[in-house]
Amino acid sequence: MILARGTLPGVLRYPDPPLTDGVITLRAKQRRDVDAMVAACQDREISRWTRVPQPYRREDALGWIAASELELAAGTAIHWLAVDAHDELLASVSVMEIDRDAGTGEIGYWVAREARGRGVARRAVALAYEWAVRELGLRTVEITVHEDNAPSLAVARAAGFARTGERAVPPRTGLPEGRYLVHHRRAG
């Protein structure tokens, strides 16, 4: 079914202009970002907590860009790169598992080694959360973090997410075994 404005229901679009807080900007991944993505994802700390493969190759980056476009078109996820004022890659942040009927979604992120310790993840999560609530009408957004990932747990707390439970199994295939702590932030 086509809507009156010519868009399909469920299709997401990147905000125009891109989201920014004046320090970082969230924008779509582009083919020109492949080298920076490959370089950032060589960091084993990223692959330790995510499904980012090791080693990370050019084909992986191109595949991620293509998969992101499909999820955007399906309305199930939106994936951004966080960049600085010079358009240098700082991080990745996504709103995924989007269920507009239930008003829920999940935020996932990683930060390039060189950008850690500067509040990049907190800023990116805040921008993504505010957009998801405002534009998608999500009422509850979740961040699920492995119990041993202390920096990511700190980001969830700093971004206003409260721990609400835990899972004994990884939330998705390809994540490390262990206990996952679930954090929620509710709109309003």
Side-chain angles (χ1 to χ4, degrees):
M1 174 174 101
I2 301 287
L3 297 179
R5 292 188 302 177
T7 60
L8 295 171
V11 171
L12 297 176
R13 299 201 186 288
Y14 285 102
D16 186 18
L19 301 176
T20 187
D21 66 0
V23 175
I24 68 166
T25 298
L26 302 186
R27 64 163 178 77
K29 293 183 290 298
Q30 300 168 6
R31 291 181 72 84
R32 67 184 165 94
D33 298 312
V34 167
D35 291 340
M37 291 165 57
V38 169
C41 290
Q42 296 313 310
D43 180 7
R44 292 200 179 274
E45 199 61 20
I46 291 173
S47 63
R48 178 180 179 194
W49 305 115
T50 67
R51 298 186 302 171
V52 170
Q54 270 301 319
Y56 193 79
R57 297 184 174 93
R58 186 170 184 77
E59 306 82 59
D60 297 312
L62 291 168
W64 187 28
I65 290 170
S68 296
E69 291 169 357
L70 291 173
E71 289 180 312
L72 188 75
T76 58
I78 186 166
H79 304 275
W80 289 283
L81 292 182
V83 298
D84 65 14
H86 303 289
D87 204 38
E88 295 294 321
L89 172 64
L90 302 172
S92 169
V93 65
S94 303
V95 179
M96 51 199 179
E97 307 295 332
I98 296 169
D99 183 335
R100 291 192 216 190
D101 292 336
T104 60
E106 181 180 352
I107 292 179
Y109 46 89
W110 56 255
V111 178
R113 180 186 306 276
E114 301 79 22
R116 292 187 191 133
R118 301 187 343 215
V120 169
R122 180 191 52 77
R123 289 175 174 281
V125 167
L127 286 168
Y129 171 80
E130 291 163 8
W131 177 85
V133 168
R134 181 181 63 249
E135 298 299 324
L136 302 181
L138 300 188
R139 297 178 302 279
T140 302
V141 179
E142 179 177 290
I143 293 177
T144 305
V145 181
H146 192 282
E147 67 180 334
D148 294 334
N149 188 345
S152 194
L153 291 170
V155 167
R157 287 190 302 274
F161 287 72
R163 184 172 163 194
T164 58
E166 60 184 59
R167 294 183 179 148
V169 296
R172 277 176 285 296
T173 303
L175 291 173
E177 295 298 318
R179 189 170 64 129
Y180 283 79
L181 307 181
V182 180
H183 300 77
H184 285 152
R185 184 167 173 194
R186 290 177 169 63

